[in-house]
Amino acid sequence: MAPGVYQSGDTHKAMGMSVRAHRLIRSYFVEAAWQAIRADPVMQAYYRKHLGKDTKKIIIKVARKLLSRALAVIKTETPYQIGVVQ
């Protein structure tokens, strides 16, 4: 499971979570995103920045950001810290 990314030349665009992802893991990340916006002030600010749009689409954006953070934790081997922008 990986965040969807489109790259072509100088263009770099984040596409959300990959549709080929495992359904169960995807639902776990969505549930974790709901908890992250309650506990992590950075994630809560990201959620509030997108208010006014469809709530389900916003939570997918938060889940994708959480997935990117989880990937960064795995790659850099540093523990996740609440409230720290990575």
Side-chain angles (χ1 to χ4, degrees):
M1 181 165 174
V5 177
Y6 172 77
Q7 290 179 330
S8 176
D10 293 334
T11 306
H12 177 79
K13 185 176 180 182
M15 303 295 287
M17 289 192 294
S18 172
V19 260
R20 291 182 280 166
H22 193 277
R23 289 180 190 172
L24 189 59
I25 294 174
R26 181 182 173 102
S27 67
Y28 287 160
F29 267 99
V30 170
E31 289 300 320
W34 281 112
Q35 295 303 316
I37 62 172
R38 290 182 183 100
D40 191 346
V42 175
M43 291 292 202
Q44 190 174 49
Y46 185 74
Y47 177 80
R48 289 185 177 171
K49 183 175 85 169
H50 295 291
L51 279 179
K53 298 178 184 175
D54 183 23
T55 307
K56 291 179 182 178
K57 288 184 181 181
I58 299 171
I59 205 64
I60 293 298
K61 285 179 175 280
V62 174
R64 188 227 176 260
K65 190 171 187 78
L66 193 62
L67 175 61
S68 296
R69 284 184 166 199
L71 237 53
V73 165
I74 292 168
K75 286 182 180 179
T76 62
E77 297 177 358
T78 58
Y80 181 81
Q81 295 177 357
I82 293 176
V84 177
V85 179
Q86 292 180 338

